[in-house]
Amino acid sequence: MVRRFQGGHLEGLFDEFTVTGTITWTVPVQLFCVAFGMSMDYEVFLLSRIKEEWDRSGDNQLAVARGLERTGAMVTAAAGLIAIVWLGFVLSGISYLKAIGLGLAVAVLMDATLVRGALVPAFMRLAGRANWWAPGPLARAGSSCTARSLPWSPHPRRRVDRDAASLRRHQSRKEQPRSGIRCRCPS
């Protein structure tokens, strides 16, 4: 950003603009805030798939590999599309929007490829079972507030919290599953 907009290098790449020798102080702040929010979206998507595999298999290496396999193409495609949208800002005649557009396009592409595609899976593989450690009270609260505590189970073979009587009542009523999560979390 400094080389392109503050220093004026590559000035003729997209359009001419006046080099002022400075960058507006709000550009880095907005870049950080928007890039952080978008990267958390990709991170939650990736980690939720990894956690689902961990719950299913209990094998950290397999969970990381399958989670990345299932989300890698979607995250990369989404990042590519968003980067194209941000690059559209570069065509603006306003240097502020050009800086925001170029900065966010580069940030999104770097986040999706380097961070989500390489660094997060590598760290999770190295961390092993430590990925899934939580302090006692948090682990107990988290274990009771999962999909297993729902009155219906999305995975019929994993009906853990139901006793036989509630299962028969549920099947006899043939109710549609209710939306929402019912937790038995301590208040």
Side-chain angles (χ1 to χ4, degrees):
M1 298 298 299
V2 171
R3 182 168 173 78
R4 165 89 166 96
F5 291 98
Q6 184 175 333
H9 297 45
L10 308 172
E11 185 178 356
L13 185 61
F14 297 107
D15 267 339
E16 298 295 323
F17 62 92
T18 305
V19 178
T20 61
T22 62
I23 292 180
T24 307
W25 68 271
T26 56
V27 170
V29 173
Q30 283 189 333
L31 285 177
F32 173 76
C33 292
V34 174
F36 182 78
M38 293 177 69
S39 68
M40 287 302 106
D41 188 32
Y42 295 139
E43 182 71 13
V44 167
F45 188 58
L46 173 66
L47 290 182
S48 63
R49 296 301 167 262
I50 293 174
K51 176 70 167 115
E52 286 174 1
E53 284 298 322
W54 167 257
D55 288 342
R56 188 173 298 127
S57 68
D59 181 15
N60 184 61
Q61 184 175 348
L62 179 67
V64 171
R66 282 193 180 159
L68 185 61
E69 176 187 7
R70 290 184 178 173
T71 61
M74 288 182 276
V75 167
T76 304
L81 290 172
I82 293 295
I84 290 170
V85 169
W86 290 123
L87 284 174
F89 282 39
V90 174
L91 301 176
S92 166
I94 303 169
S95 61
Y96 181 80
L97 287 180
K98 289 180 186 222
I100 293 288
L102 183 64
L104 285 174
V106 170
V108 165
L109 290 174
M110 283 179 39
D111 180 68
T113 55
L114 295 177
V115 177
R116 305 295 164 241
L119 294 178
V120 169
F123 178 78
M124 289 190 76
R125 177 141 186 240
L126 288 175
R129 293 187 60 86
N131 288 319
W132 314 110
W133 177 85
L138 183 60
R140 284 188 294 278
S143 67
S144 65
C145 293
T146 64
R148 294 179 188 157
S149 62
L150 293 172
W152 53 275
S153 176
H155 304 288
R157 67 178 185 275
R158 295 182 63 208
R159 294 184 178 123
V160 180
D161 289 341
R162 291 195 206 160
D163 59 339
S166 67
L167 180 58
R168 283 192 296 273
R169 275 195 312 272
H170 180 71
Q171 288 176 344
S172 66
R173 283 189 251 153
K174 302 214 188 258
E175 292 178 353
Q176 292 295 322
R178 297 179 197 145
S179 62
I181 296 177
R182 294 182 183 207
C183 292
R184 292 174 291 162
C185 299
S187 301

